[in-house]
Amino acid sequence: MRMSEVAGDVLGKNKKIVVVSGPSIAIEVAKGLPTTLVAASRDITLASEAQDTLMCAALRVYTSTDVIGVELGGSLKNIIAIAAGMSDSLGFGTNTKAAILTRGLAEITRLGVAMGASQETFAGLSGLGDLVTTCISPYSRNRWFGEMLGKGKKADDIIKETEMVVEGVTTAKSAFELSKKYNVDMPLTREVYEIIYKNKSPKDVVKDLLLRSAKPEVY
Amino acid sequence: MRMSEVAGDVLGKNKKIVVVSGPSIAIEVAKGLPTTLVAASRDITLASEAQDTLMCAALRVYTSTDVIGVELGGSLKNIIAIAAGMSDSLGFGTNTKAAILTRGLAEITRLGVAMGASQETFAGLSGLGDLVTTCISPYSRNRWFGEMLGKGKKADDIIKETEMVVEGVTTAKSAFELSKKYNVDMPLTREVYEIIYKNKSPKDVVKDLLLRSAKPEVY
């Protein structure tokens, strides 16, 4: 379930719910550094209310009616950040990271569109934007978790050793199951899932991903 | 003119021309780190030949027929990298950088589509992918140039002091003119152009961009 579904389930379906998401590492927002967000609600008037309430000198808020897309971007990006973190600690460079980010965004977009989201949302702040932040920020827990995996640590041990919630761990399992349900090809998600839940080696994953058959970019 | 147009002009229009682009910082390619590229030609057979020729263990090549999109992504991204570099040296964080990257990709996509490119290409390796690499790599000359601008140096002085070619400087002027010709809104490109060619202050730019009127994300 998406968070707005959980909220509707707990508070009642008729409650006015607005989803706010985007590239917003908390410590940077607290410091007043320029940050952008998306406020999404099926009711655009509600989204505009949230926009008016939150907008200030350091915070620029855009509106959207694509609740599904905004929520999925914010959660699915954590899986790709785990892959990016692995790439970092395996000693790969920015070329590899950019490839992971790009192909990662392509596969979470495919799942989102299959679930009813708009493709454009994933190219926006709550998709691409949040993905970029999470993949490059030193504060990202999911990227850090991937780094630990890349260093050869087992997922269970990393989780035991931290008090932080690493969302991408659970999300990888949900997304893997959703990819089968909606019949969507998600190679990066599948590999992250197999590393966390099936003890596959991160080094084997890189080999498997690079040695796939040659393809056109859009298929 | 795009590079393939220059090549056609010099070598003859009937020459077989394939464009190869993507997130590929040279030093990382030389080290054999995993890298992805797009080979584009209006003739898909030619693109596939380039794919077969270049593909190896560390190099994964995709094909495309969108020559315009692949070429524009590779050149226009340099303008956004200059903006990202300015943001870095002005002390902003990853939230700001992700916003620049996302809104920057949106505006270069708008120009590309107006010029006949496919929107999907900009979401791919030669668009988003190359943009990410250029905005985060310590080796990027365009990002570095932006850093110097953010520190208050004048564009002419930075150019005089380096032997490197900073493509984005000329591209900002071309893109600014193309945005007027095709009537496409490109706020980041316009500001980078005004900083380089009109001596506008980078700090005023940040204020101007953040204080624009509230908007929906997709318009």
Side-chain angles (χ1 to χ4, degrees), chain B residues 42-62:
Chain B
R42 269 166 297 183
D43 178 353
I44 188 69
T45 317
L46 269 183
S48 297
E49 267 180 52
Q51 181 182 46
D52 290 345
T53 308
L54 293 171
M55 200 125 164
C56 64
L59 209 54
R60 194 167 161 76
V61 185
Y62 294 82

Side-chain angles (χ1 to χ4, degrees), chain B residues 47-96:
Chain B
S48 297
E49 267 180 52
Q51 181 182 46
D52 290 345
T53 308
L54 293 171
M55 200 125 164
C56 64
L59 209 54
R60 194 167 161 76
V61 185
Y62 294 82
T63 55
S64 167
T65 54
D66 184 10
V67 176
I68 300 177
V70 168
E71 284 188 288
L72 286 180
S75 61
L76 296 173
K77 64 108 178 18
N78 290 319
I79 306 166
I80 311 305
I82 291 177
M86 273 192 271
S87 171
D88 285 344
S89 66
L90 286 168
F92 299 141
T94 49
N95 295 352
T96 311

Side-chain angles (χ1 to χ4, degrees), chain A residues 143-160:
Chain A
R143 203 194 57 76
W144 168 84
F145 182 84
E147 269 191 32
M148 296 299 112
L149 285 177
K151 285 179 180 166
K153 288 202 175 186
K154 295 291 166 210
D156 288 344
D157 295 335
I158 311 171
I159 293 164
K160 261 180 230 154

Side-chain angles (χ1 to χ4, degrees), chain B residues 81 85 138 140-149 158 162 164 166:
Chain B
S140 162
R141 290 157 297 175
N142 293 282
R143 203 193 58 75
W144 168 85
F145 182 84
E147 269 191 32
M148 295 299 113
L149 285 177
I158 312 170
T162 180
M164 302 187 292
V166 184

Side-chain angles (χ1 to χ4, degrees), chain B residues 106-172:
Chain B
E107 74 177 51
I108 67 179
T109 303
R110 282 197 294 269
L111 179 62
V113 169
M115 292 175 70
S118 156
Q119 180 154 358
E120 280 171 321
T121 305
F122 290 90
L125 295 165
S126 60
L128 164 59
D130 202 2
L131 178 64
V132 168
T133 299
T134 311
C135 287
I136 68 175
S137 169
Y139 301 111
S140 162
R141 290 157 297 175
N142 293 282
R143 203 193 58 75
W144 168 85
F145 182 84
E147 269 191 32
M148 295 299 113
L149 285 177
K151 285 179 180 167
K153 287 203 176 185
K154 295 291 165 211
D156 287 344
D157 295 333
I158 312 170
I159 293 164
K160 261 179 230 153
E161 284 167 23
T162 180
E163 288 180 2
M164 302 187 292
V165 176
V166 184
E167 292 171 55
V169 173
T170 320
T171 309

Side-chain angles (χ1 to χ4, degrees), chain A residues 25 34 95-96 125 212 217, chain B residues 25 34 60 95-96 125 217:
Chain A
I25 298 281
N95 296 351
T96 311
L125 296 165
R212 285 172 303 150
E217 189 174 26
Chain B
I25 299 279
R60 194 167 161 76
N95 295 352
T96 311
L125 295 165
E217 190 174 25

Side-chain angles (χ1 to χ4, degrees), chain A residues 85-100:
Chain A
M86 274 192 269
S87 171
D88 285 343
S89 66
L90 286 167
F92 299 140
T94 49
N95 296 351
T96 311
K97 197 157 172 173
I100 290 171

Side-chain angles (χ1 to χ4, degrees), chain A residues 37-90:
Chain A
L37 289 169
V38 181
S41 175
R42 268 167 297 183
D43 178 353
I44 188 68
T45 317
L46 268 184
S48 296
E49 266 180 52
Q51 182 182 44
D52 291 344
T53 309
L54 293 171
M55 200 124 164
C56 63
L59 208 55
R60 195 168 160 74
V61 184
Y62 293 82
T63 54
S64 166
T65 53
D66 184 10
V67 176
I68 299 177
V70 169
E71 284 188 287
L72 287 180
S75 61
L76 295 173
K77 64 105 177 23
N78 290 318
I79 306 165
I80 311 304
I82 292 176
M86 274 192 269
S87 171
D88 285 343
S89 66
L90 286 167

